[in-house]
Amino acid sequence: MGTFLGHLVPGLALTLLGLWHIVNISRNYLLKGSSNFKSRFWHPFTASAPIFKHSELVLVFSFSIFAILTQVVGFPVIHFAFELDSIEHATMFLHLAVFSGFALLAEINHKTETLSGVVGVLAASVFGQELLLLHFHSADHVGLEGHYHWLLQLVVLVSFVSSLAATCFPTSFPASLVLAISVIFQGCWFINMGFFLWIPEFVPKGCTAQSIHPSGELVHSAVTCSSSDADSRARALANLQFSWILAGILFSTGSLCLKLAGKCPESGQHTEYEQLRCKGAELPISSLKHSVTA
């Protein structure tokens, strides 16, 4: 993850995953209503062929294994590179692989409902371990880079708390929605960090990105500012980016929910006539005549 692509690719994956969850969570809530809604930590592709039903879990598990390999295997010459910060990154994806692998096995064995609490705990552990490893990261994240990573920890903390809430209160729509929003936020923040810490043209004014080659193979970026004023201005810009990205995600989420609400009838809001008509459609004609004469 110590490159621009190392932030861009996971960021795009998290953003798309969170968006997929928001669409499904909102649609399920609008169709089923608050009384029948239940949190899910993954969503099947119901509109596709049955073979693609578990595509989300398969993709998450495959991506996790691939990410682990990229952290511990050096390229282009194939060899194992056991650097401490790379092992920490690989460990984050290890917990994601454990969660997705267990959820997939539970679904294949038709034990999803029985083991839903275990799946939720494993999902929460993904964010809990990510928060732990980010907080005690061995990489030298200081200065502006450290500030970006500190803001990232805030988002991961929200993901951890909301995943626990969704596990303990599976009928809570807000908990599930906040979890999905925080996953999108993580993805967008990863992408934002990639641009503003790794692309020289995006580095804040008065600061420069320096490339350090500790092993001759991996490149670790460090942003240094020429003065305390430049550093303060860069940190303030990071705070504004944090707020702007959150505002954009919330606006998009609200717009999506409004659009889905326009297509889905609100559960439990039928008039008495509509309820009678729905019941009448299920009864035979003779029963309808009897009810009318009565």
Side-chain angles (χ1 to χ4, degrees):
M1 297 178 70
T3 61
F4 170 70
L5 286 179
H7 286 80
L8 179 64
V9 175
L12 287 174
L14 286 172
T15 301
L16 293 175
L17 180 64
L19 181 61
W20 165 251
H21 276 241
I22 283 182
V23 171
N24 283 276
I25 290 169
S26 302
R27 184 170 55 191
N28 290 342
Y29 181 77
L30 292 170
L31 287 174
K32 298 179 180 179
S34 58
S35 58
N36 296 320
F37 175 80
K38 188 173 182 180
S39 300
R40 291 187 65 104
F41 294 96
W42 70 277
H43 297 275
F45 282 81
T46 54
S48 306
I51 193 175
F52 297 112
K53 178 181 179 180
H54 307 122
S55 295
E56 178 185 338
L57 293 175
V58 172
L59 289 173
V60 171
F61 182 79
S62 302
F63 180 82
S64 302
I65 298 300
F66 174 77
I68 292 173
L69 292 176
T70 59
Q71 293 298 320
V72 299
V73 178
F75 296 97
V77 180
I78 304 298
H79 69 283
F80 289 102
F82 295 108
E83 295 189 2
L84 187 56
D85 59 336
S86 297
I87 296 299
E88 290 171 343
H89 292 150
T91 303
M92 297 180 192
F93 291 108
L94 173 62
H95 286 274
L96 188 59
V98 171
F99 154 72
S100 56
F102 179 86
L104 182 59
L105 289 176
E107 177 65 21
I108 292 175
N109 290 281
H110 307 289
K111 299 296 183 180
T112 299
E113 292 295 327
T114 305
L115 300 175
S116 59
V118 180
V119 174
V121 170
L122 292 180
S125 73
V126 173
F127 302 112
Q129 291 301 308
E130 181 185 6
L131 180 62
L132 175 70
L133 293 170
L134 282 174
H135 186 72
F136 296 105
H137 201 6
S138 62
D140 188 18
H141 294 321
V142 296
L144 181 61
E145 189 176 3
H147 187 67
Y148 273 90
H149 280 80
W150 183 80
L151 292 173
L152 175 62
Q153 292 178 53
L154 295 180
V155 185
V156 178
L157 177 61
V158 173
S159 298
F160 175 61
V161 174
S162 58
S163 60
L164 284 178
T167 303
C168 297
F169 307 100
T171 59
S172 175
F173 171 70
S176 296
L177 187 63
V178 169
L179 176 58
I181 290 174
S182 67
V183 171
I184 294 182
F185 203 171
Q186 280 194 57
C188 292
W189 194 246
F190 268 118
I191 296 172
N192 188 70
M193 288 171 58
F195 277 100
F196 284 89
L197 296 178
W198 293 91
I199 304 299
E201 292 78 9
F202 287 89
V203 173
K205 183 180 179 181
C207 303
T208 56
Q210 299 178 350
S211 297
I212 305 173
H213 304 259
S215 63
E217 298 170 0
L218 295 176
V219 181
H220 299 276
S221 174
V223 176
T224 58
C225 299
S226 58
S227 64
S228 59
D229 289 340
D231 181 72
S232 299
R233 184 168 55 249
R235 290 171 184 264
L237 178 61
N239 295 336
L240 289 174
Q241 292 167 5
F242 190 87
S243 182
W244 291 337
I245 291 174
L246 178 59
I249 295 173
L250 294 178
F251 175 80
S252 301
T253 301
S255 300
L256 180 61
C257 290
L258 285 174
K259 185 174 182 179
L260 291 174
K263 295 181 179 180
C264 301
E266 294 188 25
S267 178
Q269 298 298 320
H270 299 290
T271 63
E272 292 184 359
Y273 171 74
E274 289 174 330
Q275 292 176 357
L276 180 62
R277 185 178 60 181
C278 293
K279 292 179 180 179
E282 300 174 355
L283 296 174
I285 297 177
S286 58
S287 299
L288 288 176
K289 290 181 177 179
H290 177 71
S291 62
V292 172
T293 55

